[in-house]
Amino acid sequence: MTAPQYDRSPVPEEPGSIGEIISDISEGLSRLFRQEVELAKVEIRAEAGKAGKAAGMFGGAGVAGLLTAIMLSFALTYALGNVMDLGWAALIVGVLWGIAAAALFATARNRAKDISPMPKQTVETLKEDARWLKNPTTSETTSR
């Protein structure tokens, strides 16, 4: 996904009538708003992809946790029932599922920490636009 391109057309040297100036300002602000919204959409889509992957790992951790409970229940039943090799084997399998659940959860938690809910590039361009609105002649050389 690429960020939208911004159109920074030069300001005409000769100002027109008040109506033309207001029309130009209105058109420029409208175009600026549409571009900022498009940039925010691009950034939010990227962050939503990260959130989806982290959610999938949390789901995997849930499934592994459920299997852990089932296997440990069987293991405990067999271990207490006959203290035989079959019960201890089921206990080992249950512990392995517990390790898998912990690993999936830790990975999901780390990926979830990388998710940024704020569209950083949009915030930066909004700050730049605010600086430009305060002093449009000195900020024109700045490109996005």
Side-chain angles (χ1 to χ4, degrees):
M1 287 183 250
T2 60
Q5 297 297 317
Y6 289 90
D7 180 22
R8 292 268 176 126
S9 303
V11 178
E13 295 297 323
E14 259 182 60
S17 68
I18 297 293
E20 290 175 350
I21 292 172
I22 291 174
S23 174
D24 288 346
I25 290 172
S26 174
E27 180 184 321
L29 288 175
S30 176
R31 182 176 55 234
L32 178 64
F33 179 75
R34 284 192 304 270
Q35 290 171 340
E36 294 297 343
V37 167
E38 187 61 33
L39 178 60
K41 285 180 185 178
V42 167
E43 286 188 83
I44 289 171
R45 273 189 221 114
E47 292 301 314
K50 289 181 190 177
K53 289 176 184 175
M57 291 203 168
F58 278 125
V63 169
L66 175 63
L67 290 172
T68 298
I70 291 170
M71 292 307 295
L72 288 175
S73 295
F74 280 127
L76 183 59
T77 302
Y78 281 118
L80 292 176
N82 0 355
V83 188
M84 297 176 84
D85 293 338
L86 182 60
W88 292 111
L91 181 62
I92 292 171
V93 171
V95 168
L96 290 174
W97 274 110
I99 292 169
L104 284 171
F105 179 80
T107 303
R109 183 181 57 207
N110 289 337
R111 288 204 179 169
K113 287 179 184 177
D114 291 339
I115 297 169
S116 173
M118 183 181 303
K120 293 176 184 176
Q121 190 175 359
T122 301
V123 170
E124 287 301 315
T125 58
L126 286 172
K127 288 178 183 177
E128 181 182 327
D129 294 338
R131 286 191 302 268
W132 184 83
L133 285 173
K134 288 179 184 176
N135 195 357
T137 56
T138 59
S139 298
E140 285 181 11
T141 58
T142 308
S143 64
R144 296 184 185 205

